[in-house]
Amino acid sequence: MKWLKIPLLLLLIVVSFAGARNTFADEQLQRVLIMFETTIDQQLIEQNNGSIIEELPAINSVSALLPKNSIEVLQANKAIKYIEEDKPVSLQSYWSDWGTEKIAAQNAWTHHLTGQGVKVAVIDTGIAPHPDLNIKKGVSFVNYTKSAADDHGHGTHVAGIIAAGQQTQGLKGIAPDVELYAIKVLDKNGNGYHSDVIQGIQWAIEHEIDIINLSIGGFESSTFLEEALNEAYEEHNILIVAAAGNNGQLRAKGNTVDYPAKYASVIAVAATDNQDRHPIFSSHGVEVELAAPGVSIQSTHLDGGYVALDGTSMAAPHVTAMLALLKQAQPSKTNKELRKMIQGYTVDLGLPGKDSLFGYGRISFPEQIQLEAPRPSPPKNLKVEKKLENEKVLLTLTWEHEEATTFFIYRNQQKIAEVTDQFFYTDEKITSGPITYEITAINEAGSESAKTVMFVESDYAATANLYSDVNVSDWYISALHQLQSKKLIGGYPDGTFKPNHPVTRAELIVMIGRSLNIAGTKRATIYSDVNEQFFASGFIQTGQEIGLISGYPDGTFHPNHPVTREEAAVFLTRAFHLTQATTQSFPDLDPNHYTFSAILRTVGEGIATGYPDGTYHPKEAVTRAELATFLARALKYK
C-alpha cells in the first residue's frame, strides 16, 4: 500500500542568513516581515509611516521598518496575511524560533537540560548535512539510495526543531544535545510505503532509540504498521510522537486525525499559532493528545539554509524535543510515565480539559522541573562461593563498590535483604535449582543503581537462548525455564517466545492440560468451531469432559479469543483446586462478577498479583509471560 503524500502547507517560506545583528537609528522603529494576501502594497506601508527594506515577491512579502503602533494597525488590515518580527541573527550567538520560546524551553535550559544521552530518531525524508545538525547515524529504506541524506527538506526541518545547535552560531533547537538518528523512509517527493516505515521502526528498536518522531501520515490504516508501533511502545519502552495531520479543513467529515497518529501507542500532536489559536489546517479528533507550535516555524533546510513552514509536521518535533529533555531529567521513568508527565506540562486551550482540537493543551515547560538524583554505579566483580553445611548449601555473594555502603539483595527478582557497611551476603539454598541474584547500590540520596546480575546453578541462559526475544534478565525467566524444562510450554516456528502477546483460550488449555497430564491427542470435539485437526482439539475435548472448561451458549468455544486476567484466574482455580482467598481488595473488581472469587483465590494462593497502584486490571488480556509465571507458581498445587 503506498504511503500517502505528506500534506504540508508551505504558506510562509522565509530564508534566514547568518549575519551581524541589526541596529536601528530610530528605536521606535521595528524590523518586521509582512506577507500580503495578494500583491505587495508599498503605498499601504508608507501610509503607516513605514519603509520597505527588501521585497520578497515569490511569497508576496517584504521586510520593512514600521513604528510599533503601526504594526497593530496593519495586523487588522484585511490586505495583510501575516506580520512577524524579522528576527536578527548574530554570528556570536544562537537564535531560537518563536515556537521554542512559546513552550518555555529556556526553563529546561536553566536546569542544564539539553537532551544529552537521549536517542531520538526522525523517521522521515532523511536529514541533510547542515552546520547546525550533528547526525549520529543514518539509514535509508528507499529503493534508489543507501544514503540517509534528505533530498526533500522536510526531515531536515523536523530535525532542526528538535536538535539544531551544533555550532556557536545559527539556530538553536529545543534539545540540541540529543543523539540524532536519520531514518529515511520517504523519497524526494515525500512518498513512501508502509513497509519502509515498518523497517525504520524495527531499525530504531535494534538501535535502542528512546523517542521516534513521525511527522508523516495519511488516511490509510495498516495492521502491520500498528503492530510494529505497538511492539516499539509496549515491549521496548520507546516513545512515539506523530503529527495529527493537516486535514482540519475537512471538518464536515468528522474526525480528521491521520494514521499513524491515530494509534493508541502514538502521541498525536495538533498545531497552534503564536496566539495559541487552532489553525484551520490542523486535524482534530479524540486521538489528539497534545498541541504545539506549528505555524511559520523556522528551522534548518537543504543547502545549509533555513525556511519557515506550517503544519502539524512542525508541531510534533516540539513534543519530541520536550520529551527528550524530560527523559534526561527523569532517566529511570518509563515511556508511559513520561507520556503522563508531559500531559501535565501544558497550557489548557479550547474547552476545559482534554478536547479534540488541543488535546490536553499546548505544551509548556514549568519553571521548576524535578531532576532525578544521579544514580550510583552498579556493584562490580560479583562473585559467589558455595559451601555445604548440615545438608544445606550456603551461598556467599561478594562484590565491590567505591562509594556506596548500602546494598539491596534480590533473589529471583524478589528483594530478600538490605545490607550496610559490608560487601558480602550469605544465603541458604535448601534445595538445588536455578537462582538469579541481583545486587544494587544505594547512594546517600536514596537513588538505586542498575542491577548487577549473577546466575547460580542456572540453566536460564540455555532457556533464553532458545528464543530470540528472551533475555536471561527478563522478569519471567525463572518461570519460563521451569515450564520449558518440563516441556509444558514452547515458542513459535520463527524462534521467538512472544512474551507480551496475549494468550488464546486454546493455548491456555494446552498449557494447563500438559501440566495436569490430561489426554491431548487430536480428536473430534463437541464445539462447532474446533475441528478434529485443530492443534488443541484433544485438550479442549478432554478439558470439557472433566469439567475444566466450558463453551458458549451457541455451541462454540472461541479457541482463538484472548484470555483476560480474570478468565485466567477461573481456569487456574478450577485446574488446581485453589481455596485460600486473599483479604486484599481491588477497586476495579466487581464483587458480583462470576470471576471475583477465583481472582481472590489466585491472589490468596500466591499465584497472581495485582499492580503497584492497588488495581488488578481484570479485563486486560493475560500475556504469555504472565501466564507462564502464574502456571509455574500453580504447579505446587498439582
Side-chain angles (χ1 to χ4, degrees):
M1 182 181 295
K2 191 171 183 181
W3 191 258
L4 297 183
K5 186 175 182 180
I6 301 171
L8 301 178
L9 297 180
L10 309 182
L11 297 181
L12 177 58
I13 303 176
V14 180
V15 182
S16 302
F17 299 96
R21 187 177 297 275
N22 294 285
T23 57
F24 310 122
D26 186 345
E27 293 184 356
Q28 298 302 312
L29 294 178
Q30 184 168 341
R31 182 165 176 151
V32 295
L33 289 165
I34 304 172
M35 177 179 281
F36 292 86
E37 288 285 354
T38 54
T39 58
I40 295 172
D41 189 341
Q42 180 177 352
Q43 186 177 3
L44 179 60
I45 294 174
E46 292 174 351
Q47 288 173 350
N48 286 273
N49 301 315
S51 60
I52 293 176
I53 299 172
E54 185 177 4
E55 292 191 2
L56 306 168
I59 54 172
N60 297 328
S61 302
V62 299
S63 62
L65 291 176
L66 280 177
K68 291 184 178 179
N69 58 2
S70 294
I71 295 175
E72 295 182 3
V73 174
L74 286 177
Q75 282 176 329
N77 194 299
K78 293 182 179 180
I80 303 296
K81 190 170 187 177
Y82 295 119
I83 297 182
E84 67 176 36
E85 178 187 355
D86 189 3
K87 296 179 181 178
V89 180
S90 171
L91 287 172
Q92 287 75 41
S93 63
Y94 292 112
W95 58 276
S96 298
D97 181 73
W98 74 265
T100 302
E101 298 170 2
K102 190 76 171 179
I103 69 170
Q106 66 276 7
N107 288 343
W109 298 339
T110 59
H111 292 282
H112 306 291
L113 297 176
T114 59
Q116 188 171 19
V118 181
K119 301 168 77 170
V120 175
V122 175
I123 298 182
D124 211 290
T125 58
I127 303 176
H130 195 287
D132 288 347
L133 296 173
N134 181 19
I135 305 167
K136 180 78 174 181
K137 196 171 184 178
V139 65
S140 172
F141 292 105
V142 298
N143 59 15
Y144 62 87
T145 179
K146 294 183 179 179
S147 172
D150 189 2
D151 49 8
H152 178 282
H154 186 266
T156 306
H157 196 275
V158 168
I161 296 169
I162 299 169
Q166 295 302 316
Q167 56 175 0
T168 57
Q169 63 189 54
L171 176 69
K172 181 174 183 178
I174 299 165
D177 289 332
V178 298
E179 293 183 16
L180 184 62
Y181 292 77
I183 302 179
K184 183 177 178 65
V185 299
L186 302 180
D187 61 22
K188 60 185 177 182
N189 297 314
N191 298 322
Y193 294 89
H194 284 150
S195 58
D196 299 330
V197 180
I198 291 168
Q199 287 186 86
I201 294 166
Q202 292 174 339
W203 190 91
I205 290 173
E206 292 167 3
H207 288 77
E208 299 181 339
I209 296 298
D210 295 307
I211 309 172
I212 291 173
N213 189 97
L214 286 163
S215 287
I216 60 180
F219 295 117
E220 301 279 353
S221 179
S222 165
T223 301
F224 297 91
L225 178 59
E226 185 176 14
E227 282 291 317
L229 291 167
N230 287 344
E231 180 185 2
Y233 182 70
E234 296 290 347
E235 300 184 26
H236 297 279
N237 198 39
I238 298 177
L239 283 156
I240 307 164
V241 182
N246 300 335
N247 309 304
Q249 69 277 11
L250 304 177
R251 185 164 304 185
K253 295 187 177 181
N255 188 314
T256 59
V257 176
D258 272 349
Y259 295 98
K262 230 174 181 144
Y263 298 131
S265 60
V266 179
I267 299 173
V269 185
T272 59
D273 66 13
N274 61 2
Q275 299 297 315
D276 275 341
R277 295 171 300 201
H278 179 264
I280 191 171
F281 64 77
S282 184
S283 290
H284 61 90
V286 294
E287 296 86 2
V288 171
E289 190 164 330
L290 298 168
V295 176
S296 190
I297 302 300
Q298 293 214 42
S299 186
T300 49
H301 211 254
L302 303 181
D303 301 321
Y306 308 91
V307 301
L309 300 179
D310 294 350
T312 57
S313 284
M314 286 63 252
H318 283 80
V319 172
T320 294
M322 183 170 180
L323 285 167
L325 301 187
L326 294 178
K327 176 74 174 176
Q328 181 188 359
Q330 298 281 341
S332 68
K333 287 196 179 299
T334 66
N335 57 350
K336 294 178 182 178
E337 289 172 330
L338 290 170
R339 185 174 184 175
K340 185 69 175 177
M341 181 186 295
I342 198 173
Q343 290 171 3
Y345 291 159
T346 53
V347 176
D348 192 9
L349 303 175
L351 297 175
K354 187 175 183 293
D355 61 56
S356 62
L357 296 183
F358 303 99
Y360 290 98
R362 192 255 302 147
I363 58 169
S364 179
F365 279 96
E367 291 186 5
Q368 298 299 322
I369 300 175
Q370 184 178 359
L371 302 180
E372 191 174 288
R375 300 177 73 185
S377 60
K380 58 184 180 180
N381 296 332
L382 181 58
K383 299 177 181 178
V384 63
E385 295 180 357
K386 307 174 187 178
K387 182 180 179 182
L388 184 63
E389 186 174 295
N390 297 326
E391 298 183 356
K392 294 182 180 179
V393 178
L394 301 182
L395 300 179
T396 299
L397 306 173
T398 61
W399 61 89
E400 298 177 8
H401 204 279
E402 297 177 354
E403 301 172 3
T405 57
T406 299
F407 304 91
F408 291 168
I409 317 297
Y410 297 83
R411 184 205 301 128
N412 292 344
Q413 290 79 51
Q414 297 294 321
K415 183 180 175 183
I416 59 171
E418 178 179 333
V419 300
T420 303
D421 296 327
Q422 67 184 49
F423 298 88
F424 66 91
Y425 175 76
T426 300
D427 189 27
E428 289 187 356
K429 185 167 70 69
I430 306 301
T431 59
S432 61
I435 296 179
T436 305
Y437 285 106
E438 298 164 320
I439 316 294
T440 61
I442 314 300
N443 63 16
E444 294 181 354
S447 183
E448 186 175 10
S449 75
K451 293 177 178 178
T452 300
V453 182
M454 166 69 75
F455 302 98
V456 181
E457 295 183 354
S458 172
D459 294 323
Y460 294 173
T463 295
N465 288 337
L466 291 173
Y467 309 110
S468 61
D469 56 349
V470 172
N471 297 307
V472 291
S473 59
D474 288 335
W475 63 271
Y476 56 86
I477 188 66
S478 175
L480 177 58
H481 172 71
Q482 183 179 347
L483 300 184
Q484 181 68 46
S485 63
K486 296 178 183 294
K487 298 183 179 180
L488 301 180
I489 198 170
Y492 290 84
D494 64 355
T496 63
F497 177 68
K498 296 183 172 46
N500 295 312
H501 275 218
V503 176
T504 66
R505 286 166 59 85
E507 289 173 328
L508 183 141
I509 190 57
V510 168
M511 284 189 276
I512 290 180
R514 289 172 178 168
S515 301
L516 299 178
N517 297 317
I518 68 174
T521 304
K522 292 179 182 179
R523 58 193 176 116
T525 75
I526 68 168
Y527 300 111
S528 61
D529 58 345
V530 180
N531 63 46
E532 183 176 351
Q533 297 307 313
F534 187 67
F535 81 97
S537 61
F539 288 108
I540 290 173
Q541 181 59 24
T542 303
Q544 188 276 332
E545 292 171 354
I546 65 175
L548 175 60
I549 63 173
S550 59
Y552 291 83
D554 63 354
T556 60
F557 182 70
H558 295 189
N560 296 317
H561 275 205
V563 178
T564 63
R565 283 168 55 85
E566 62 184 3
E567 290 172 331
V570 172
F571 279 108
L572 292 168
T573 299
R574 290 175 182 170
F576 298 99
H577 308 292
L578 307 178
T579 59
Q580 184 65 44
T582 183
T583 58
Q584 181 180 354
S585 61
F586 298 94
D588 56 344
L589 295 186
D590 179 3
N592 298 317
H593 197 269
Y594 81 97
T595 63
F596 180 74
S597 175
I599 291 172
L600 297 188
R601 292 182 188 185
T602 55
V603 174
E605 298 284 10
I607 293 173
T609 59
Y611 287 79
D613 64 357
T615 59
Y616 189 81
H617 297 193
K619 304 296 183 184
E620 279 192 2
V622 67
T623 66
R624 285 170 56 80
E626 286 178 322
L627 185 62
T629 303
F630 293 168
L631 194 55
R633 293 169 180 168
L635 288 178
K636 64 183 179 181
Y637 296 99
K638 180 179 175 182

